[in-house]
Amino acid sequence: MSGQQTAAPDPYFPANGDSRYRVHRYELTLDYRPGPNRLAGTARLSAIAGRAPLTEFQLNLAEFKIGRVLVNGRSPHYTHRGGKLRVRPAKPLPAGAAFTVEVHWAGNPKPVRSPWGGLGWEELTDGALVASQPVGAPSWYPCNDRPSDKASYQISITTPSAYTVVAGGRLLTRTAKASTTTWVYEQSAPTSSYLVGLSIGRYQTVLLGAPGLEGVPQAAHLPAHLLSQFSRDFARQPAMMQLFEELFGPYPFGEYTVVVADEELDVPVEAQGLSLFGANHVDGARGSERLIAHELAHQWFGNSVSIADWRHIWLNEGLAKYAEWLWSEHAGGRTAQELAAGAHRQLASMPLDLRLSDPGRKLMFDDRLYERGGLAVHAIRCALGDLAFFRMLRDWATVHRNGVVTTAAFTAHVARYAAQPLEDLFSAWLHETALPPLPTPEATAQLPFTEVPRVPARPGYPPRNGGSAGPGGSSA
């Protein structure tokens, strides 16, 4: 069910996270000096023990110097090796007990090693940014690094006053003293550790669109010399927000922020309420507009609705890929059917050894996962028809808002909106490696996107007490 914690280690990253407890709040107090790349911090974690007494537990934290560790105000025994901070409280913590952990650490933050290169804290030419997916969060703070362990965050960062600090969430205060400024952000929505975004740089701040009382505040922070190109490249983001709210339901967080670093990034990176782009994604010709749509869509699919473990990453990337296609179709570009046909041709020319529902760690960020994920969603749209499909999609994002999901939960949800059984479709697209034929809509359902009756202003089956929104009322 949505919101439950998984009890087993993540099969792709068994060394990350600890399923014996969960954290419901992090309070981070940081001091960062860009010149020497020096970070000093204190973390206070409010946590709850699981179903068994805790004689020990672990946090993930890179190779910093530990100053002090406290559990419920008392000094425990601890060791810190290999990116693991193992803590043995003075007295075992009872099953289900609330407890606090305080960690003081300092050092020079750097990316943690991974099969995809360095992840997490990255020192820039002038500043820093954090891009943690999937296991980079321990590069800068101690955490229970598993995507299903979602918590609220308050982050206080002190830096030299010439720098702007951007984090996901609402800016509570900005306090200047002598030569430094302290920025305090609050992210009240449950957040996975890898989605805690941060950027420190010399930025100009601009507002995107003019949201009314009901609108989503949208801000951007970017180098001043990119302002002209940025203004064209991101001009249609407010329209994307409007479309996605119509299709997926209300934006799940209090605000949405975009940062453009003054360096090139291989790909943009989503964080909770925040997306990070490189200067290479700003060209003044809307060359990266599909990526702007993709990162925005992740706020619903991946951030608000989070995966229980990394086997299910196609739920994040397939739905965000399909959002790209929906935006293109809506904005007068290629239709989703045309984009699906292109993706199908591309996949047909590549090795067919990727299983969408469990790609394995080696292939979890493979281009084929994104394209096949988008095609799987398109196949579901073709099978359901537009009216049922868009109701299904909006209900999925609404019912599981701030929750944790699996592929099995998604297929069970989709099945409730189908007139015919979909087991063969799910098996072919999600659980097998062969490429099924290109999905095409029934002729009777092939209406121009702009003429398709939109999903209603409220879901057709509003959730009750966190239960399922699908026909039949059973929970996912």
Side-chain angles (χ1 to χ4, degrees), residues 313-323 369-370 372-374 377:
I313 188 173
W314 85 271
L315 286 170
N316 297 358
E317 301 304 345
L319 287 163
K321 170 60 70 173
Y322 202 69
L369 181 132
Y370 293 67
R372 187 175 179 120
V377 176

Side-chain angles (χ1 to χ4, degrees), residues 32 36-40 64 106-111 121-123 139-140:
Y32 181 64
N37 184 39
R38 181 75 176 173
L39 179 69
F64 291 96
N108 301 106
K110 61 183 179 180
W121 188 285
E122 185 173 346
E123 182 185 10
S139 68
W140 64 289

